[in-house]
Amino acid sequence: AARATLITTAAAVAVCQSLEKLWNLSPGVKWVNDIFLGGKKVCGILTEAALGLESGSLEYAVLGIGVNLYPPEGGFPPELRDIAGSLLEKPAPGARNLLAAEICNTFSRHYAALEDRLFLEDYRRRSLALGRRVTVLSAGRATPATALDVDGECRLLVRFDDGREENLSSGEISICL
């Protein structure tokens, strides 16, 4: 099951590296699967996996990467205008294919060495949460904490205000401004 999180994390790094290489952009990662640029979400990553009931091992994973390459015609709807962004302001010839190829090639290199976790330091460096106040959203509750680190299993280590620390392997966080 931890491999699914490694896949998501490796994909986030691959997307960021691709954006830097192609367009000299400086994206950041909001744990675990959102890519931000200029304070707006430009990419979401989702990994769905199946575990074997008897073995408990990963049988397969499906990785989806959605990128806002250009703003929609007429702009983003009012409810998304302040939170959604795009990589480019207007269509550029071949940009979609170029981006898809670069992400696939970069991800393939990370995936081939997934167990080595060579991408993890790059992921930490790009984190928008580390060292910041966050709100952990889990089980219908919002709990303030400080994001401390991302461990070797790509879990987010947080310290709650009562001093308790926890490695989050799922859930959602919001970053306090």
Side-chain angles (χ1 to χ4, degrees):
R3 288 185 62 107
T5 304
L6 290 175
I7 290 169
T8 305
T9 309
V13 171
V15 169
C16 290
Q17 290 172 338
S18 298
L19 300 181
E20 285 177 348
K21 180 178 179 180
L22 294 174
W23 296 299
N24 200 31
L25 300 173
S26 299
V29 180
K30 178 182 164 249
W31 181 82
V32 63
N33 60 344
D34 293 330
I35 308 299
F36 279 72
L37 189 63
K40 295 186 176 186
K41 182 177 173 178
V42 296
C43 175
I45 301 167
L46 181 62
T47 306
E48 293 287 335
L51 301 178
L53 290 176
E54 291 179 13
S55 68
S57 64
L58 183 66
E59 289 189 5
Y60 66 86
V62 177
L63 174 66
I65 301 173
V67 180
N68 295 334
L69 189 54
Y70 319 112
E73 244 181 74
F76 289 100
E79 63 273 13
L80 297 178
R81 205 164 279 145
D82 292 335
I83 57 175
S86 60
L87 303 180
L88 305 174
E89 292 182 23
K90 58 185 179 181
R96 181 178 294 138
N97 292 338
L98 189 63
L99 179 60
E102 189 61 38
I103 290 172
C104 287
N105 289 334
T106 305
F107 175 74
S108 292
R109 287 191 298 275
H110 292 311
Y111 185 75
L114 196 64
E115 294 302 325
D116 296 336
R117 295 166 170 79
L118 299 176
F119 57 87
L120 193 51
E121 194 52 44
D122 198 352
Y123 183 87
R124 285 184 184 111
R125 184 178 59 79
R126 297 172 189 283
S127 173
L128 298 173
L130 295 186
R132 309 256 326 257
R133 295 286 296 161
V134 298
T135 301
V136 177
L137 309 168
S138 179
R141 294 185 10 216
T143 311
T146 300
L148 303 175
D149 197 5
V150 175
D151 73 7
E153 298 303 318
C154 305
R155 297 175 299 188
L156 183 66
L157 174 62
V158 297
R159 179 180 300 124
F160 294 102
D161 291 350
D162 64 4
R164 181 176 47 92
E165 292 185 0
E166 185 177 337
N167 283 314
L168 306 176
S169 58
S170 64
E172 176 82 18
I173 63 165
S174 66
I175 299 171
C176 304
L177 299 176

